[in-house]
Amino acid sequence: MRPRHWLRWLIGAIVALVVLGVGGPFLYIHFFNGSAPAALSLPTASTSASASTSTGGTATASTAASGSLAGPYSVGSGSAVGYRVNEVLLGQSTTAVGRSSSVTGHLTIAGTTATAATFSVPMDTVLSDKSQRNAQFDGRIMDVAQYPTGTFTLTSPIDLAPLPATGVIKSYTATGKLTLHGATRTVTFTLTAERKGAQIEVAGDIPNPIIGGFVTTQDHGLLEFLLVFSKT
């Protein structure tokens, strides 16, 4: 009977390890990890106008544009840049989000065309809600000591005509150079913009694959941003 006793004990131990290995991450992710922050985006427009994406941008607003947008702008308070990616911890999926409000940049509009734009962020200021994830991001993933800054620079002008009225959200297509981890590549993506008095708020996301290890990430993570430009 003693061998059977030890056999039952061994089987029970194996089952317990399996439960802890799978159930532990499940409980942590779904009950203790909390929900991910909402995506960076523009709030619902105060008007009922909607926008659709095109090279020049379109909007259904019937009201006239509220004056010229021409001039230089700088990124100001309320701006944020970060990442959003699905990660897998021992077979359990969760959404990882890191953010930074330490964003700088500028925008130049000539007539009804955005002729130049850039924004950058110190990569060591991009933080999530988990210190272990931050350590992986700063070290193995982004190596922020070697590559301290992430940058996007617009390379093709954006036609803003017809200029939208204040409070109307409009969509545009942007193309530029994204530099992360010392590598620069051309990216094209959709952004949304809204004029608010002397400010222009711009939001969007850029496909940005990130490679993980023990905690693996899917290959379609996003670099998301919300930029508040103030006229200078």
Side-chain angles (χ1 to χ4, degrees):
M1 298 297 292
R2 185 173 297 275
R4 293 184 179 179
H5 171 77
W6 280 103
L7 180 60
R8 288 196 299 269
W9 182 90
L10 180 59
I11 294 173
I14 293 173
V15 171
L17 287 174
V18 171
V19 170
L20 287 174
V22 177
F26 178 87
L27 291 173
Y28 172 75
I29 288 171
H30 296 283
F31 292 96
F32 300 105
N33 198 35
S35 58
L40 293 174
S41 62
L42 298 181
T44 303
S46 57
T47 68
S48 59
S50 61
S52 62
T53 304
S54 70
T55 301
T58 60
T60 61
S62 59
T63 54
S66 305
S68 172
L69 286 176
Y73 295 77
S74 295
V75 172
S77 176
S79 300
V81 172
Y83 65 83
R84 176 179 299 271
V85 64
N86 291 332
E87 64 182 14
V88 180
L89 174 60
L90 293 177
Q92 297 298 322
S93 179
T94 185
T95 300
V97 175
R99 297 270 172 84
S100 173
S101 58
S102 300
V103 191
T104 58
H106 69 265
L107 165 68
T108 301
I109 298 177
T112 59
T113 303
T115 58
T118 185
F119 66 83
S120 61
V121 59
M123 297 305 291
D124 63 357
T125 66
V126 179
L127 302 175
S128 73
D129 59 345
K130 296 290 180 290
S131 59
Q132 299 92 332
R133 183 186 295 135
N134 295 335
Q136 290 289 320
F137 180 86
D138 290 348
R140 176 179 56 80
I141 297 175
M142 284 300 177
D143 191 3
V144 300
Q146 182 71 25
Y147 309 106
T149 306
T151 303
F152 170 80
T153 301
L154 186 72
T155 57
S156 298
I158 301 175
D159 182 11
L160 306 177
L163 295 178
T166 298
V168 175
I169 295 176
K170 192 172 179 179
S171 297
Y172 303 92
T173 298
T175 298
K177 298 288 188 180
L178 176 67
T179 300
L180 289 173
H181 198 268
T184 300
R185 62 187 179 93
T186 299
V187 294
T188 298
F189 56 95
T190 299
L191 58 81
T192 55
E194 179 183 4
R195 61 191 301 185
K196 292 184 175 181
Q199 292 184 328
I200 300 175
E201 294 188 4
V202 180
D205 53 62
I206 304 172
N208 176 41
I210 299 176
I211 300 174
F214 174 72
V215 176
T216 60
T217 58
Q218 296 183 3
D219 61 358
H220 50 270
L222 298 175
L223 184 156
E224 55 184 11
F225 61 88
L226 172 61
L227 305 175
V228 180
F229 289 100
S230 297
K231 208 164 190 178
T232 56

